Structures are given as structure tokens and as C-alpha cells.
Amino acid sequence: GSLRERAEQIDEYVIPHGDWFEIVSCPHYLAEIVIYAGLLVASGGTDITIWLLFAFVVVNLVFAAAETQRWYIRKFDNYPSNRYAIIPYVY
């Protein structure tokens, strides 16, 4: 909500900025992956179900982040070219 400088911009999309948004396009997806990795570690990593859940979450969010970044690039001519989709300095 703090991305907009004026209240009348409510229907306009803006480029997210600040904190992790300076490095990746979808830091909230990255945080969710970290949460599920913590669940995997907390479970001891012996249950195949938790591994499958973790794999599904990672694959799903990586694809969603890639599409989100593509949309940002198409929508905004001035979108920062140095941002990664989801994993800092990797992808």
C-alpha cells in the first residue's frame, strides 16, 4: 500500500521497491520457500511427503515468479534490469 505516492493512483500499477524488492521481483515468494524449507528441516527430512510438498511449492513459486517478472518487464519500460525473479544472484 505504501508504493503509491498519491491516493488517486489506486488503479495504477507501480514498480515495487525497497528492501528485498531491490534484488528480486518476488521476495514474498522467496520468503514462502524459506518457510517450507524450515518445515522440512523441522520435520527431520525423513518423510517423503514433506519433500514432495517442498518440491511442489518451489516449482510452483519459481514459475509464478518468472511469469510475474515477465509481466513487470512488459508493463514497465523502466523496470530494473538487474533484478532476479526469485532467488538472489541466481534466478
Side-chain angles (χ1 to χ4, degrees), residues 26-34 57 60-66 68 85-86:
C26 299
H28 46 300
Y29 292 171
L30 176 60
E32 190 168 348
I33 289 173
V34 170
V57 167
N60 186 39
L61 292 177
V62 166
F63 279 121
T68 298
I86 189 168

Side-chain angles (χ1 to χ4, degrees), residues 29-85:
Y29 292 171
L30 176 60
E32 190 168 348
I33 289 173
V34 170
I35 290 168
Y36 277 91
L39 177 66
L40 180 65
V41 169
S43 73
T46 57
D47 188 5
I48 188 69
T49 306
I50 301 294
W51 278 102
L52 292 173
L53 174 67
F54 179 69
F56 173 77
V57 167
V58 169
V59 169
N60 186 39
L61 292 177
V62 166
F63 279 121
E67 286 301 314
T68 298
Q69 187 173 28
R70 278 191 209 103
W71 184 85
Y72 281 141
I73 290 169
R74 283 193 311 266
K75 176 80 174 166
F76 302 106
D77 294 331
N78 60 341
Y79 192 74
S81 61
N82 61 337
R83 284 191 192 174
Y84 294 86

Side-chain angles (χ1 to χ4, degrees), residues 14-28:
V14 295
I15 298 172
H17 58 84
D19 298 326
W20 282 88
F21 279 108
E22 300 302 324
I23 301 169
V24 295
S25 295
C26 299
H28 46 300

